[in-house]
């Protein structure tokens, strides 16, 4: 028989799939005897069954009743009993933590009778009415679907009426009045009364948690984090303990290390006389854990002990939520804590030093995306005046943007391409879309564990919290002292320092970037990154090369650790002043003209290649023959036509060169140039072009060889669809190589290979490999031609709609489509190697620097990936991680 409910004492972390992360962790704390309020977990399987069948799974309510009875027996109190009732919390807990995504209900079990019993038993009427109003608020919004803002407004109205600055200024009578107001609101909004039966409350709360799995916020979060929709959530039902029973009680959040910097040492926030939700919501300003040591040294010492145990058990940074009830410490939950990218690297290295994990495990715990974030610039504040505001450095990085005051405006402006900074008093899960759209989040209230801080850190978005600014959402402005900042004003937010500046502050390079540029290895973060890179390079099977077209790029790529160039796009060398030479070649009337134009280009190309081969001396340098349609090197047809028409309209004779150009451009015009005369096709129909390029390469090799270098040029033919194309082109390439060898007396051997960027090439790879010494997947074109998506048009046109509809989770131009493009790639790898076992295979599309795609290329047994120089460190790190078992590209904690 399927079992849907587990007592906390029964589970462990192996059951995380079934019990969710929170349930499994509660079990892990309960078993060694930590003070965890007793409870039970309803499994994810029950949730899945409920969501699939649309009704409660058979036997679930009986199982819940049985476990509830055991809880009641152990506590000596019953749920809903009129005097001193047992109260419960009901929380979601999915397999992967989804902060703020799912709903929590506290104080479940209270009703009109039991609230009086609770008042008597606790000796505090205020506490009892406060608990009841919290239940009404959470149950009303989460289970009964009342807009949470309705309750907030009623609370604010009452506070205003009473002149209360803080919730704590409301007394028992006020809160009991608020309870009446809330009950009436629920009736008005839903047409039904708040259920007084505690069994009904429990049943409906569990089902509401199940349903919140499919809530909009949860779905947005899952899509972003690549969490499968089918997992479902578990529900944790736990005995309530109270942090709001007076000054010897309180709630807190603690980390075993600083989740922002990774620095060792206890770190967290504590809020006396409050429940846990108040800490996270940032309603009042918290005190630090060090202050708790003064307030309650015994609980603090116990907390420290438990945290040390947890960190050693999980061998990682843990965060916990705890409550102190009348001086007694309760551990409410723990998990391996979220952290910034900086902290991830620092903690991983420190845990190795402390002997808790090995270097391979340390590498598993950092990510390429995290590394990319650390390579971001920071502000150079030397030249900017005083900071406008100071807050908590909640999520590092530097961002500049226009101030906006709500999520919708953030989304609207960001959609129009503007950089925005979302400013709120504090954020709630409803702000998620705006937080995703914003470059930075700035709040007036809340601590490092507030919603804004936790979510922004998880997303890698810059965040400053609790900046003490006066936010007036209705007037769409905030003020700091005398300064008024209206919506649309540009500010600079430094999430590493916690400062905000008016205007756009200049950006300064990151330490990590400096390390990659110069090798300068400083203690702390840079040292931790350097160690992770070394570990990655030691284990990686995939080599990382760079896409580089200039000697400068090649030099940088080498500094960043590239083991060669995987793609040198030679057409980039035809731009600028040289465009006229290309123009002359295109317009050539006869053989002599064309030869003259080509020979003018030859020395320039040769010079380029000499520079690049010198920068990459001793490492393979794959030079691709010209790829784009030639009219890209000519002026635009409409520009020319307009110029000629305007001249004619003035009664003048148009410039004959313009007329000639227009005729050429019109002749060459293509409706779909990406599918037209480009790639190998150009080489086959434009006489002399390939020969000139190959000669330039060969002569550069000769020059470098004579200079004592070790040039390793490889020649790559683009957009091949049929082996015959490659055969003809290759014959020409080899003819020129032989000619230059003979002329110079220096033997020039360049492997000749092809790009695989058309489905036909992938499907006929066995034949193509007969003529190719290497394959390099052009996954940009391969994605374009496999999906039939114009790579220049579709992302802006409709990809956001496709992402919303879940057709794909990420743009296939960013992350390789494993099922379609990936399948073609695998076919080509298998067939290519079957025909030529020593075939070298790489990839040089944008995907070469994308973490998820790098893992796929590793699995597909490619030899190398090639990406832009700045992505080289990311690709190196992920290549190393891909070689470790059980590592996923986005395994960040
Ligand atoms: C590709 O198509 O993936 C590729 C690298 O070539 P380009 O982007 O220059 O078309
Ligand atoms: Mg291409």
């Amino acid at each position: 028989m399927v079992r849907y409910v587990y007592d906390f004492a029964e589970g462990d972390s192996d059951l995380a799939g079934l019990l969710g992360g929170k349930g499994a962790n509660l079990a892990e704390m309960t078993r060694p005897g930590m003070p965890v309020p007793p409870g039970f977990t309803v499994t994810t399987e029950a949730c899945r069954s409920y969501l699939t069948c649309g009704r409660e799974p058979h036997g679930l309510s009986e199982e819940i009743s049985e476990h509830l009875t055991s809880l009641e027996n152990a506590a000596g109190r019953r749920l809903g009993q009129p005097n001193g009732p047992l109260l419960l919390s009901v929380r979601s807990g999915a397999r992967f933590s989804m902060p703020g995504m799912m709903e929590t209900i506290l104080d479940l079990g209270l009703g009109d009778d039991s609230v009086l019993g609770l008042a008597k038993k606790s000796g505090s009427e205020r506490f009892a009415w406060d608990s009841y109003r919290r239940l009404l608020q959470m149950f009303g919004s989460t289970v009964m679907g009342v807009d949470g803002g309705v309750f907030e407004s009623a609370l604010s109205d009452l506070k205003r009426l009473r002149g209360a600055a803080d919730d704590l200024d409301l007394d028992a009578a006020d809160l009991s009045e608020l309870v009446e107001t809330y009950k009436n609101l629920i009736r008005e909004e839903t047409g039904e009364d708040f259920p007084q039966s505690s069994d009904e409350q429990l049943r409906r709360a569990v089902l509401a948690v199940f349903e919140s799995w499919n809530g909009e916020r949860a779905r947005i979060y899952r899509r972003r984090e690549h969490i499968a929709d089918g997992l479902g959530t578990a529900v944790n039902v736990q005995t309530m303990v109270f942090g709001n029973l007076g000054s010897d009680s309180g709630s807190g959040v603690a980390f075993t290390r600083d989740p922002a910097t990774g620095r060792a040492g206890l770190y967290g926030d504590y809020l006396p006389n409050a429940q846990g939700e108040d800490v996270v919501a940032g309603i009042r300003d918290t005190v630090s854990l060090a202050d708790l040591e003064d307030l309650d040294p015994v609980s603090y010492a116990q907390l420290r002990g438990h945290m040390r145990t947890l960190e050693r058990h999980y061998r990682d940074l843990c965060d916990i939520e705890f409550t102190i009830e009348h001086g007694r410490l309760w551990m409410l939950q723990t998990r391996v804590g979220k952290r910034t990218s900086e902290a991830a690297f620092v903690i991983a290295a420190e845990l190795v030093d402390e002997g808790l994990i090995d270097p391979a495990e340390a590498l598993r715990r950092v990510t390429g995306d995290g590394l990319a974030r650390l390579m971001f610039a920071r502000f150079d504040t030397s030249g900017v005046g005083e900071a406008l505001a100071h807050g908590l450095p909640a999520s590092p990085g530097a961002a500049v943007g226009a101030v906006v005051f709500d999520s919708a405006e953030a989304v609207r402006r960001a959609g129009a391409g503007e950089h925005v900074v979302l400013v709120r008093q504090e954020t709630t899960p409803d702000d998620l879309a705006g937080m995703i759209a914003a470059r930075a989040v700035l709040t007036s209230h809340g601590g490092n564990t507030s919603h804004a801080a936790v979510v922004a850190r998880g997303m890698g978005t810059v965040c400053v919290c609790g900046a003490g600014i006066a936010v007036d959402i209705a007037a769409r402005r905030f003020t700091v002292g005398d300064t008024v900042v209206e919506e649309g004003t540009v500010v600079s937010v430094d999430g590493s320092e916690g400062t905000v500046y008016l205007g756009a502050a200049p950006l300064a390079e990151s330490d990590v970037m400096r390390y990659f540029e110069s090798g300068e290895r400083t203690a702390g973060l840079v040292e931790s990154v350097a160690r992770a890179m070394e570990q990655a390079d030691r284990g990686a099977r995939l080599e990382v090369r760079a896409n580089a077209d200039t000697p400068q790029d090649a030099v940088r790529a080498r500094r960043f650790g590239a083991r060669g160039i995987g793609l040198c796009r030679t057409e980039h060398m035809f731009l600028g002043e040289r465009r006229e030479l290309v123009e002359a070649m295109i317009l050539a009337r006869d053989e002599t003209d064309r030869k003259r134009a080509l020979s003018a280009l030859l020395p320039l190309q040769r010079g380029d290649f000499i520079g690049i081969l010198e920068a990459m001396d001793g490492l393979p340098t794959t030079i691709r023959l010209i790829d784009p349609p030639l009219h890209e090197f000519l002026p635009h047809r409409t520009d020319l036509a307009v110029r000629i028409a305007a001249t004619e309209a003035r009664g003048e004779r148009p410039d004959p060169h313009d007329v000639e150009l227009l005729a050429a451009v019109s002749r060459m015009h293509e409706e779909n140039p990406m599918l037209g005369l480009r790639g190998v096709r150009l080489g086959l129909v434009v006489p002399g072009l390939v020969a000139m390029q190959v000669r330039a390469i060969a002569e550069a090799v000769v020059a470098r060889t004579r200079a004592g270098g070790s040039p390793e040029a490889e020649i790559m033919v683009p957009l091949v669809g049929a082996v015959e194309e490659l055969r003809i082109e290759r014959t020409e390439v080899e003819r020129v190589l032989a000619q230059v060898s003979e002329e110079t007396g220096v033997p020039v051997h360049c492997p000749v290979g092809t790009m695989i960027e058309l489905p036909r090439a992938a499907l006929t790879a066995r034949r193509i490999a007969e003529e190719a010494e290497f394959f390099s997947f052009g996954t940009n074109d391969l994605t374009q031609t496999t999906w039939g998506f114009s790579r220049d048009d579709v992302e802006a046109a409709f990809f956001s709609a496709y992402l919303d509809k879940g057709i794909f989770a990420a743009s296939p131009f960013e992350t390789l489509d494993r099922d379609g493009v990936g399948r073609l790639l695998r076919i080509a790898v298998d067939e290519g190697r079957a025909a030529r076992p020593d075939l070298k295979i790489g990839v040089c599309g944008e995907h070469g620097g994308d973490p998820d795609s790098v893992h796929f290329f590793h699995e597909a047994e490619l030899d190398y990936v090639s990406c832009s120089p700045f992505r080289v460190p990311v690709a190196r790190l992920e290549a190393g991680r891909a070689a470790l078992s059980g590592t996923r590209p986005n395994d960040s904690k």
Side-chain angles (χ1 to χ4, degrees), residues 357-424:
I357 59 173
D358 63 18
E361 179 60 22
L363 182 57
R364 262 193 204 99
R365 294 185 182 184
V366 295
T367 65
D369 281 339
L371 178 63
R373 279 196 282 273
L374 292 174
M375 292 170 72
F376 286 152
R378 295 187 175 195
F379 290 130
D380 172 3
T381 48
S382 49
V384 298
E386 281 282 291
L388 173 69
H390 295 276
L392 295 167
S395 181
V400 176
V403 165
V404 294
F405 289 97
D406 63 41
S407 195
E409 184 66 6
V411 170
R412 193 186 68 72
R413 289 195 188 215
E418 199 174 344
H419 290 188
V420 297
V421 173
L422 178 65
V423 180
R424 306 284 291 165

Side-chain angles (χ1 to χ4, degrees), residues 624 627 678 755 757 778 781 791:
R624 180 177 74 182
D627 181 26
R678 56 171 287 216
M755 295 194 69
E757 47 188 347
D781 273 312
R791 58 196 259 196

Side-chain angles (χ1 to χ4, degrees), residues 567 569 624 627 674 678 718-719 755 757 778-782 784 791 844:
L567 173 63
R569 290 176 165 105
R624 180 177 74 182
D627 181 26
M674 276 297 197
R678 56 171 287 216
L719 214 76
M755 295 194 69
E757 47 188 347
T779 46
N780 305 333
D781 273 312
L782 193 56
Q784 165 166 267
R791 58 196 259 196
C844 63

Side-chain angles (χ1 to χ4, degrees), residues 542-560:
L542 273 177
E543 257 185 18
V544 179
R545 297 193 193 176
N547 295 352
D549 315 323
T550 63
Q552 294 89 314
D553 273 357
V555 168
R556 164 170 288 130
R558 223 177 159 149
R559 277 203 305 266
F560 283 15

